[in-house]
Short mmCIF file of all heavy atoms in Angstrom, two decimals:
data_model
loop_
_atom_site.label_atom_id
_atom_site.label_comp_id
_atom_site.label_asym_id
_atom_site.label_seq_id
_atom_site.Cartn_x
_atom_site.Cartn_y
_atom_site.Cartn_z
N ALA G 1 -15.15 -2.54 30.61
CA ALA G 1 -15.34 -2.66 29.17
C ALA G 1 -14.46 -3.77 28.59
O ALA G 1 -14.79 -4.34 27.55
CB ALA G 1 -15.02 -1.33 28.49
N GLU G 2 -13.35 -4.08 29.27
CA GLU G 2 -12.42 -5.15 28.87
C GLU G 2 -12.01 -5.03 27.41
O GLU G 2 -12.00 -6.01 26.66
CB GLU G 2 -13.01 -6.52 29.16
CG GLU G 2 -13.21 -6.79 30.64
CD GLU G 2 -13.74 -8.18 30.92
OE1 GLU G 2 -13.86 -8.99 29.98
OE2 GLU G 2 -14.03 -8.45 32.09
N GLN G 3 -11.69 -3.82 27.00
CA GLN G 3 -11.27 -3.58 25.62
C GLN G 3 -10.05 -2.67 25.63
O GLN G 3 -9.99 -1.69 26.37
CB GLN G 3 -12.39 -2.92 24.83
CG GLN G 3 -12.05 -2.71 23.37
CD GLN G 3 -13.19 -2.07 22.59
OE1 GLN G 3 -14.16 -1.60 23.17
NE2 GLN G 3 -13.06 -2.06 21.28
N CYS G 4 -9.07 -3.01 24.80
CA CYS G 4 -7.87 -2.20 24.68
C CYS G 4 -8.24 -0.85 24.09
O CYS G 4 -8.94 -0.78 23.07
CB CYS G 4 -6.84 -2.91 23.80
SG CYS G 4 -5.34 -1.97 23.52
N GLU G 5 -7.77 0.22 24.70
CA GLU G 5 -8.10 1.56 24.24
C GLU G 5 -7.24 2.00 23.06
O GLU G 5 -7.47 3.07 22.51
CB GLU G 5 -7.98 2.56 25.39
CG GLU G 5 -8.99 2.31 26.50
CD GLU G 5 -8.84 3.24 27.68
OE1 GLU G 5 -7.76 3.83 27.87
OE2 GLU G 5 -9.80 3.37 28.45
N LEU G 6 -6.26 1.18 22.69
CA LEU G 6 -5.40 1.53 21.57
C LEU G 6 -5.72 0.73 20.31
O LEU G 6 -5.77 1.28 19.22
CB LEU G 6 -3.93 1.34 21.93
CG LEU G 6 -3.40 2.29 23.01
CD1 LEU G 6 -1.97 1.94 23.37
CD2 LEU G 6 -3.50 3.73 22.57
N CYS G 7 -5.93 -0.59 20.46
CA CYS G 7 -6.17 -1.41 19.26
C CYS G 7 -7.56 -2.03 19.22
O CYS G 7 -7.96 -2.56 18.19
CB CYS G 7 -5.10 -2.52 19.16
SG CYS G 7 -5.26 -3.81 20.40
N GLY G 8 -8.30 -1.99 20.33
CA GLY G 8 -9.66 -2.52 20.34
C GLY G 8 -9.73 -3.99 20.68
O GLY G 8 -10.81 -4.58 20.65
N SER G 9 -8.62 -4.64 21.02
CA SER G 9 -8.60 -6.06 21.34
C SER G 9 -9.31 -6.33 22.65
O SER G 9 -9.38 -5.47 23.53
CB SER G 9 -7.15 -6.54 21.42
OG SER G 9 -7.10 -7.85 21.89
N TYR G 10 -9.85 -7.57 22.80
CA TYR G 10 -10.54 -7.96 24.02
C TYR G 10 -9.75 -9.02 24.80
O TYR G 10 -10.26 -9.58 25.75
CB TYR G 10 -11.93 -8.53 23.69
CG TYR G 10 -12.90 -7.47 23.22
CD1 TYR G 10 -13.10 -7.24 21.87
CD2 TYR G 10 -13.62 -6.71 24.13
CE1 TYR G 10 -13.98 -6.27 21.43
CE2 TYR G 10 -14.51 -5.75 23.70
CZ TYR G 10 -14.69 -5.53 22.35
OH TYR G 10 -15.57 -4.58 21.94
N GLU G 11 -8.51 -9.27 24.45
CA GLU G 11 -7.73 -10.34 25.08
C GLU G 11 -6.60 -9.77 25.94
O GLU G 11 -5.95 -8.80 25.57
CB GLU G 11 -7.14 -11.25 24.00
CG GLU G 11 -8.19 -11.99 23.20
CD GLU G 11 -7.58 -12.84 22.11
OE1 GLU G 11 -6.35 -13.02 22.09
OE2 GLU G 11 -8.34 -13.32 21.27
N ASN G 12 -6.35 -10.42 27.09
CA ASN G 12 -5.25 -10.09 27.99
C ASN G 12 -5.18 -8.59 28.32
O ASN G 12 -4.18 -7.93 28.06
CB ASN G 12 -3.91 -10.54 27.40
CG ASN G 12 -3.85 -12.04 27.20
OD1 ASN G 12 -4.38 -12.79 28.00
ND2 ASN G 12 -3.23 -12.46 26.12
N ILE G 13 -6.23 -8.08 28.91
CA ILE G 13 -6.30 -6.65 29.22
C ILE G 13 -5.46 -6.33 30.46
O ILE G 13 -5.50 -7.04 31.46
CB ILE G 13 -7.77 -6.22 29.45
CG1 ILE G 13 -8.60 -6.50 28.19
CG2 ILE G 13 -7.87 -4.76 29.87
CD1 ILE G 13 -8.13 -5.78 26.95
N GLU G 14 -4.67 -5.26 30.38
CA GLU G 14 -3.82 -4.79 31.46
C GLU G 14 -3.98 -3.28 31.59
O GLU G 14 -4.63 -2.65 30.77
CB GLU G 14 -2.34 -5.12 31.18
CG GLU G 14 -2.05 -6.60 31.06
CD GLU G 14 -0.61 -6.89 30.71
OE1 GLU G 14 0.16 -5.93 30.42
OE2 GLU G 14 -0.23 -8.07 30.73
N VAL G 15 -3.35 -2.72 32.62
CA VAL G 15 -3.40 -1.27 32.82
C VAL G 15 -1.99 -0.72 32.74
O VAL G 15 -1.09 -1.17 33.45
CB VAL G 15 -4.03 -0.92 34.19
CG1 VAL G 15 -4.03 0.59 34.41
CG2 VAL G 15 -5.44 -1.46 34.28
N HIS G 16 -1.79 0.25 31.85
CA HIS G 16 -0.52 0.98 31.79
C HIS G 16 -0.68 2.23 32.63
O HIS G 16 -1.68 2.93 32.53
CB HIS G 16 -0.16 1.34 30.35
CG HIS G 16 1.10 2.14 30.24
ND1 HIS G 16 2.34 1.61 30.53
CD2 HIS G 16 1.32 3.44 29.92
CE1 HIS G 16 3.26 2.54 30.37
NE2 HIS G 16 2.66 3.67 30.00
N HIS G 17 0.30 2.51 33.48
CA HIS G 17 0.20 3.62 34.42
C HIS G 17 1.48 4.45 34.38
O HIS G 17 2.57 3.91 34.27
CB HIS G 17 0.00 3.06 35.84
CG HIS G 17 -0.25 4.10 36.86
ND1 HIS G 17 0.75 4.67 37.59
CD2 HIS G 17 -1.39 4.68 37.28
CE1 HIS G 17 0.23 5.56 38.42
NE2 HIS G 17 -1.06 5.58 38.26
N ILE G 18 1.32 5.76 34.46
CA ILE G 18 2.47 6.66 34.57
C ILE G 18 2.37 7.40 35.89
O ILE G 18 1.29 7.49 36.48
CB ILE G 18 2.54 7.66 33.39
CG1 ILE G 18 1.27 8.50 33.30
CG2 ILE G 18 2.81 6.93 32.09
CD1 ILE G 18 1.37 9.64 32.33
N ARG G 19 3.48 7.97 36.37
CA ARG G 19 3.48 8.65 37.67
C ARG G 19 2.69 9.94 37.64
O ARG G 19 1.91 10.24 38.52
CB ARG G 19 4.91 8.93 38.11
CG ARG G 19 5.62 7.67 38.51
CD ARG G 19 6.92 8.00 39.23
NE ARG G 19 7.62 6.76 39.50
CZ ARG G 19 8.77 6.42 38.95
NH1 ARG G 19 9.37 7.23 38.11
NH2 ARG G 19 9.34 5.26 39.24
N LYS G 20 2.93 10.75 36.61
CA LYS G 20 2.20 12.01 36.51
C LYS G 20 2.05 12.39 35.04
O LYS G 20 2.84 11.99 34.20
CB LYS G 20 2.88 13.13 37.31
CG LYS G 20 4.34 13.29 37.08
CD LYS G 20 4.92 14.29 38.07
CE LYS G 20 6.43 14.34 37.89
NZ LYS G 20 7.05 15.30 38.76
N LEU G 21 1.02 13.18 34.78
CA LEU G 21 0.72 13.56 33.40
C LEU G 21 1.84 14.38 32.77
O LEU G 21 2.05 14.33 31.56
CB LEU G 21 -0.60 14.32 33.32
CG LEU G 21 -1.86 13.46 33.46
CD1 LEU G 21 -3.08 14.34 33.56
CD2 LEU G 21 -1.99 12.51 32.30
N SER G 22 2.56 15.12 33.58
CA SER G 22 3.63 15.95 33.03
C SER G 22 4.77 15.09 32.47
O SER G 22 5.59 15.58 31.70
CB SER G 22 4.16 16.92 34.08
OG SER G 22 4.69 16.22 35.18
N ASP G 23 4.82 13.79 32.85
CA ASP G 23 5.83 12.89 32.29
C ASP G 23 5.60 12.64 30.80
O ASP G 23 6.50 12.19 30.09
CB ASP G 23 5.83 11.55 33.03
CG ASP G 23 6.39 11.66 34.44
OD1 ASP G 23 7.00 12.71 34.75
OD2 ASP G 23 6.23 10.70 35.22
N LEU G 24 4.40 12.92 30.31
CA LEU G 24 4.09 12.72 28.90
C LEU G 24 4.75 13.78 28.01
O LEU G 24 4.94 13.57 26.83
CB LEU G 24 2.57 12.74 28.67
CG LEU G 24 1.78 11.63 29.35
CD1 LEU G 24 0.29 11.86 29.16
CD2 LEU G 24 2.19 10.27 28.82
N LYS G 25 5.07 14.92 28.59
CA LYS G 25 5.66 16.02 27.83
C LYS G 25 7.18 15.94 27.91
O LYS G 25 7.80 16.49 28.80
CB LYS G 25 5.19 17.36 28.38
CG LYS G 25 3.69 17.53 28.33
CD LYS G 25 3.26 18.78 29.04
CE LYS G 25 1.74 18.85 29.12
NZ LYS G 25 1.30 19.92 29.98
N VAL G 26 7.78 15.22 26.98
CA VAL G 26 9.23 15.06 26.95
C VAL G 26 9.82 16.13 26.06
O VAL G 26 9.43 16.29 24.90
CB VAL G 26 9.61 13.65 26.44
CG1 VAL G 26 11.12 13.49 26.39
CG2 VAL G 26 8.98 12.59 27.33
N ALA G 27 10.76 16.90 26.60
CA ALA G 27 11.38 17.99 25.84
C ALA G 27 12.22 17.42 24.70
O ALA G 27 12.93 16.44 24.85
CB ALA G 27 12.25 18.82 26.76
N GLY G 28 12.10 18.03 23.52
CA GLY G 28 12.91 17.65 22.37
C GLY G 28 12.31 16.52 21.54
O GLY G 28 12.89 16.13 20.54
N GLN G 29 11.18 15.98 21.95
CA GLN G 29 10.57 14.89 21.18
C GLN G 29 9.75 15.49 20.04
O GLN G 29 8.96 16.41 20.25
CB GLN G 29 9.68 14.05 22.11
CG GLN G 29 9.22 12.76 21.49
CD GLN G 29 8.47 11.89 22.50
OE1 GLN G 29 8.00 12.39 23.50
NE2 GLN G 29 8.38 10.62 22.21
N LYS G 30 9.96 14.97 18.83
CA LYS G 30 9.29 15.53 17.66
C LYS G 30 7.79 15.33 17.73
O LYS G 30 7.03 16.29 17.76
CB LYS G 30 9.84 14.87 16.39
CG LYS G 30 11.28 15.21 16.11
CD LYS G 30 11.75 14.52 14.86
CE LYS G 30 13.23 14.79 14.64
NZ LYS G 30 13.74 14.07 13.48
N GLU G 31 7.36 14.10 17.75
CA GLU G 31 5.93 13.83 17.77
C GLU G 31 5.64 12.76 18.82
O GLU G 31 6.38 11.79 18.95
CB GLU G 31 5.45 13.33 16.40
CG GLU G 31 3.96 13.19 16.31
CD GLU G 31 3.50 12.78 14.92
OE1 GLU G 31 4.25 12.94 13.96
OE2 GLU G 31 2.37 12.29 14.84
N LYS G 32 4.57 12.95 19.56
CA LYS G 32 4.21 12.00 20.60
C LYS G 32 3.70 10.71 19.96
O LYS G 32 2.99 10.75 18.95
CB LYS G 32 3.08 12.55 21.48
CG LYS G 32 3.47 13.68 22.37
CD LYS G 32 2.26 14.06 23.21
CE LYS G 32 2.52 15.28 24.04
NZ LYS G 32 1.32 15.68 24.78
N PRO G 33 3.99 9.56 20.59
CA PRO G 33 3.37 8.31 20.13
C PRO G 33 1.87 8.35 20.39
O PRO G 33 1.39 9.15 21.21
CB PRO G 33 4.04 7.24 20.97
CG PRO G 33 5.16 7.88 21.69
CD PRO G 33 4.96 9.35 21.63
N LEU G 34 1.15 7.47 19.75
CA LEU G 34 -0.31 7.45 19.86
C LEU G 34 -0.77 7.25 21.29
O LEU G 34 -1.72 7.89 21.74
CB LEU G 34 -0.90 6.36 18.96
CG LEU G 34 -2.41 6.23 19.03
CD1 LEU G 34 -3.07 7.45 18.41
CD2 LEU G 34 -2.89 4.98 18.35
N TRP G 35 -0.09 6.38 22.05
CA TRP G 35 -0.53 6.12 23.42
C TRP G 35 -0.38 7.37 24.29
O TRP G 35 -1.22 7.62 25.16
CB TRP G 35 0.20 4.91 24.02
CG TRP G 35 1.67 5.09 24.25
CD1 TRP G 35 2.68 4.84 23.39
CD2 TRP G 35 2.28 5.56 25.45
NE1 TRP G 35 3.88 5.12 23.95
CE2 TRP G 35 3.67 5.55 25.23
CE3 TRP G 35 1.81 5.98 26.68
CZ2 TRP G 35 4.59 5.96 26.21
CZ3 TRP G 35 2.71 6.37 27.65
CH2 TRP G 35 4.09 6.35 27.40
N LYS G 36 0.64 8.17 24.04
CA LYS G 36 0.80 9.42 24.80
C LYS G 36 -0.27 10.43 24.41
O LYS G 36 -0.80 11.15 25.25
CB LYS G 36 2.19 10.02 24.57
CG LYS G 36 3.29 9.33 25.33
CD LYS G 36 4.60 10.08 25.22
CE LYS G 36 5.69 9.41 26.03
NZ LYS G 36 6.94 10.15 25.99
N LYS G 37 -0.60 10.47 23.11
CA LYS G 37 -1.67 11.37 22.67
C LYS G 37 -2.99 10.98 23.32
O LYS G 37 -3.76 11.85 23.74
CB LYS G 37 -1.80 11.30 21.15
CG LYS G 37 -0.68 11.97 20.39
CD LYS G 37 -0.91 11.85 18.90
CE LYS G 37 0.23 12.46 18.11
NZ LYS G 37 0.06 12.28 16.66
N ARG G 38 -3.24 9.66 23.39
CA ARG G 38 -4.49 9.17 23.97
C ARG G 38 -4.57 9.55 25.47
O ARG G 38 -5.59 10.03 25.94
CB ARG G 38 -4.58 7.66 23.79
CG ARG G 38 -5.72 7.00 24.48
CD ARG G 38 -7.01 7.17 23.73
NE ARG G 38 -8.05 6.43 24.43
CZ ARG G 38 -9.28 6.85 24.58
NH1 ARG G 38 -9.65 7.96 24.01
NH2 ARG G 38 -10.14 6.14 25.24
N MET G 39 -3.47 9.34 26.21
CA MET G 39 -3.47 9.67 27.64
C MET G 39 -3.61 11.17 27.86
O MET G 39 -4.28 11.61 28.79
CB MET G 39 -2.20 9.14 28.31
CG MET G 39 -2.16 7.63 28.42
SD MET G 39 -0.70 7.04 29.25
CE MET G 39 -1.28 6.96 30.92
N SER G 40 -2.99 11.97 27.00
CA SER G 40 -3.12 13.43 27.10
C SER G 40 -4.54 13.87 26.80
O SER G 40 -5.07 14.78 27.44
CB SER G 40 -2.15 14.11 26.15
OG SER G 40 -0.83 13.85 26.51
N ALA G 41 -5.16 13.23 25.82
CA ALA G 41 -6.51 13.61 25.41
C ALA G 41 -7.54 13.32 26.51
O ALA G 41 -8.42 14.14 26.77
CB ALA G 41 -6.90 12.88 24.13
N ILE G 42 -7.41 12.15 27.15
CA ILE G 42 -8.38 11.82 28.20
C ILE G 42 -7.95 12.34 29.57
O ILE G 42 -8.70 12.25 30.53
CB ILE G 42 -8.64 10.29 28.27
CG1 ILE G 42 -7.38 9.52 28.62
CG2 ILE G 42 -9.28 9.79 27.00
CD1 ILE G 42 -7.59 8.04 28.84
N ARG G 43 -6.74 12.91 29.63
CA ARG G 43 -6.19 13.49 30.87
C ARG G 43 -6.23 12.50 32.03
O ARG G 43 -6.72 12.80 33.12
CB ARG G 43 -6.92 14.77 31.23
CG ARG G 43 -6.67 15.88 30.27
CD ARG G 43 -7.30 17.15 30.73
NE ARG G 43 -7.09 18.20 29.75
CZ ARG G 43 -7.68 19.35 29.78
NH1 ARG G 43 -8.54 19.63 30.73
NH2 ARG G 43 -7.44 20.25 28.86
N ARG G 44 -5.72 11.30 31.78
CA ARG G 44 -5.67 10.25 32.78
C ARG G 44 -4.29 9.64 32.83
O ARG G 44 -3.60 9.56 31.81
CB ARG G 44 -6.70 9.15 32.49
CG ARG G 44 -8.14 9.62 32.57
CD ARG G 44 -8.52 9.89 34.02
NE ARG G 44 -9.85 10.41 34.16
CZ ARG G 44 -10.17 11.67 34.43
NH1 ARG G 44 -9.22 12.56 34.55
NH2 ARG G 44 -11.40 12.04 34.57
#
């Protein structure tokens, strides 16, 4: 699709990767950033 999943841009596409989904759940964090919400929602 060559489109950024956060802002919709079509330029300089890269892949952000985390080790495991449980790394998204940081204890004591008030609100998750949008990118963490997006990764949690698509479970990838």
Side-chain angles (χ1 to χ4, degrees):
E2 295 182 5
Q3 183 179 11
C4 178
E5 295 177 340
L6 294 176
C7 70
S9 173
Y10 289 96
E11 296 178 10
N12 299 323
I13 300 300
E14 298 177 352
V15 178
H16 177 69
H17 186 268
I18 58 171
R19 289 192 184 114
K20 49 188 175 178
L21 284 173
S22 62
D23 289 347
L24 296 174
K25 300 172 187 171
V26 179
Q29 192 174 19
K30 293 179 184 176
E31 187 177 340
K32 289 182 186 177
L34 179 69
W35 67 271
K36 283 188 178 183
K37 288 180 183 177
R38 173 79 177 141
M39 289 182 92
S40 295
I42 62 174
R43 292 185 182 169
R44 296 289 177 255

